[in-house]
Amino acid sequence: MPAPKGRGLAFGGKTQINIHLATHLKIFSKVLATLVFLIGFFAVLGWQFEIDIFKKVAPSLPVIAPNTACSFVLIGLFLFFLNWTKENHKFMRSLVSFLSILIAILGMLTLIEYIFRLNFGIDRLFFARKMGTDIVRMSPQSALNFLLVGMALSFYSSKEKKHVFWGQIAIVAAGIMALVSLFGFIYGVAGLYTIAPYKGMAAHTAIAFVLTFLGILMLRPETGLVRIFASRGLSGMAARRLLAALLSILVIEILVMLGAKTGFYSFSYEALVHLLIVTGVFIFLIFYSFRSLDRLAEAEKSLEHLKEVDRAKTDFVSLASHQLRTPLTSVSWYSEMLLRHEVGPLNPKQKEYLDEVYAQNRRMIDLVDDLLNSSRIDMGMLNIEPRKTDLKIVLGSALDEIDPLVREKKIDLEKNIAENLPAVETDPEMIRIIFQNLISNAVKYTPEGGKVKVALSPVGSHLEFKVADTGYGITKSQQNRVFTKMFRADNIRSKVTDGTGLGLYIAKAIAKELGGKLHFDSEENKGTTFFLELPVRFHR
Ligand code: ADP
């Protein structure tokens, strides 16, 4: 038996992400992006309208360079955009990636200017007139930071986890440098934000870099280095609490230092406060944080137990359906033989009853098949066996099967199968399940006399299958639940009582397993169209 992949199960082997927390972090990332944008924007205003306070926070501190200000405006926008845009929006993401590289190049060129004592003229790209004859070049640290941030944003524009990981390395390096400069400002150690004899990093530049660092890390909290802070297990909780403890120590230490600097208290008093802070944080960790680890461990154990119960149930459903399948199939065969008059003629009443036995038995077989397939999906054991397949035959048999209902409901069924459709490499049984589910839904959920259109055609290297109906449609508010297990929409429950809500769950899982996409468009009381796009190898 192949090892279950755990797909679809509620609890996977790897630490799960706390979705709620991850969503909040992403929202927070947007806030940080806005702040970075605003810092850049105000600095630009400072240069444009010569407002000194926006160019340097205090008269004794370094001024923000025009290139730095403009880069922050862009970085804020890119960060916000990456947060807001969908992962599959390839064009826009490539554009952001390209523009971010330009920022990295700006940083690199500035560094080259410093190292080789050159002047490319890039420092006078913006506000040259306001600078007069001066050159206000960004500090070497800022240049290196822009190189790293530009690279990080470009890596983050990719969907690939591996790229995001490299982006995280770059942004952590940038973040460390920004923090060092920031602490330099707070503790008044100029050496930390200035490399003599060059211009130092401006205070708001350091702040904007720290915000960028946090914003980029929160952009993908479910990946790589930061995953531990958003994970649901014991490690996640411990990591978050230790981080909270560390941040509280930092903040209080800074406050205490500022207090000492302003001559608020003496050295021995300050030392005592340090001691109290460390003791307080450790007491908090011991009595509050680590005590609750036991409770969490208990919860994890009961989750494990639930997981086993869930598995046992799935196994049971799978076994029971398997056992039911054989007798049901024999009932079907024997009724078919009787209906074909192979053992003698039937009178009209006998035929009527036997038709009913046959139809109800088919329903039961369909139900058992649905149960079997959905438990296979839950156990991650949906076995795909691709082979050379003539889809016209597969689709034909699915259409034949639904024919009695089509006639009964007087549905106008239009078939549009591409004449030149070559054989394809796929799993015929699996694809048949999708065809059958989509077509039978269209017929089932369309009132008498309605229209159903079925189309199958090759489009490039894909196969496109479309089923459109003029039926009851799916209410907008419930459309996001259509592919969930056992979902049946409110608008059809009273009209069509027969249904399990498993068909589309199975169809979607199979489409995904085959590397394809299944989606739909629907309007209530107008109709629904389901689309299946499947990448396939054609036997031409
Ligand atoms: P079932 O048909 O057994 O209820 P499915 O998983 O196939 O289960 O479909 C789930 C639900 O989606 C249906 O109950 C119905 O509410 C809705 N649905 C699916 N296809 C259509 C369609 N063509 N028109 C209207 N509603 C549909």
Side-chain angles (χ1 to χ4, degrees), residues 94 271 293 464:
S94 309
L293 289 185
E464 206 177 84

Side-chain angles (χ1 to χ4, degrees), residues 180-417:
V180 168
S181 301
L182 190 65
F183 283 126
F185 284 109
I186 297 169
Y187 281 80
V189 185
L192 292 185
Y193 57 87
T194 321
I195 301 176
Y198 307 118
K199 168 185 156 333
M201 190 189 264
H204 37 347
T205 305
I207 295 174
F209 273 129
V210 172
L211 299 180
T212 307
F213 157 66
L214 295 174
I216 294 186
L217 282 185
M218 287 175 190
L219 189 60
R220 296 280 292 268
E222 69 287 352
T223 326
L225 299 174
V226 270
R227 185 183 165 89
I228 187 157
F229 294 108
S231 72
R232 259 182 22 195
L234 283 176
S235 52
M237 195 184 89
R240 281 192 296 276
R241 295 205 171 162
L242 284 173
L243 183 69
L246 176 68
L247 290 179
S248 342
I249 293 182
L250 281 179
V251 172
I252 303 171
E253 286 281 352
I254 289 170
L255 292 178
V256 171
M257 181 276 305
L258 291 176
K261 243 181 157 181
T262 46
F264 222 59
Y265 31 66
S266 68
F267 171 74
S268 42
Y269 189 83
E270 193 192 337
L272 183 68
V273 177
H274 285 304
L275 190 72
L276 287 179
I277 294 169
V278 175
T279 318
V281 168
F282 271 83
I283 289 179
F284 159 81
L285 285 176
I286 295 165
F287 285 98
Y288 172 65
S289 280
F290 291 144
R291 219 171 41 138
S292 50
L293 289 185
D294 279 346
R295 262 184 276 138
L296 203 68
E298 282 293 315
E300 291 237 311
K301 241 197 248 162
S302 67
L303 271 187
E304 271 303 311
H305 176 65
L306 278 178
K307 186 175 158 184
E308 261 170 41
V309 173
D310 195 58
R311 249 202 110 63
K313 265 202 234 156
T314 313
D315 281 350
F316 171 73
V317 171
S318 167
L319 185 80
S321 343
H322 206 81
Q323 296 299 320
L324 278 170
R325 189 79 173 63
T326 320
L328 286 173
T329 313
S330 344
V331 173
S332 182
W333 278 343
Y334 285 113
S335 347
E336 264 181 50
M337 263 159 55
L338 289 171
L339 282 169
R340 281 201 301 264
H341 300 182
E342 283 183 19
V343 282
L346 299 173
N347 66 36
K349 237 345 176 233
Q350 285 170 331
K351 181 169 177 334
E352 184 192 330
Y353 290 169
L354 200 55
D355 271 338
E356 192 57 20
V357 169
Y358 182 74
Q360 294 304 335
N361 187 60
R362 274 249 52 99
R363 271 185 63 190
M364 256 203 285
I365 291 178
D366 287 346
L367 177 64
V368 164
D369 280 347
D370 276 356
L371 288 174
L372 209 55
N373 283 325
S374 87
S375 60
R376 275 189 197 134
I377 291 167
D378 290 350
M379 289 195 290
M381 295 205 306
L382 204 62
N383 281 339
I384 304 285
E385 288 172 13
R387 52 188 176 276
K388 192 173 175 185
T389 305
D390 185 346
L391 286 177
K392 278 181 261 173
I393 299 181
V394 179
L395 180 57
S397 101
L399 285 166
D400 285 349
E401 194 177 303
I402 198 72
D403 194 52
L405 191 60
V406 173
R407 286 166 190 275
E408 189 187 315
K409 293 184 74 174
K410 300 187 183 63
I411 300 278
D412 173 11
L413 183 77
E414 185 184 314
K415 297 168 225 173
N416 219 328
I417 304 172

Side-chain angles (χ1 to χ4, degrees), residues 441 444-445 469 473-474 487-489 492 499-501 503-504 528 530:
N441 276 350
K444 245 168 47 178
Y445 302 124
D469 64 55
I474 306 166
F487 170 76
R488 305 203 68 222
I492 54 95
T500 56
L504 288 178
T528 307
F530 272 87

Side-chain angles (χ1 to χ4, degrees), residues 67-84:
N67 279 358
T68 306
C70 297
S71 300
F72 278 129
V73 169
L74 293 177
I75 288 174
L77 285 175
F78 296 166
L79 183 53
F80 194 89
F81 184 80
L82 284 180
N83 216 319
W84 166 75

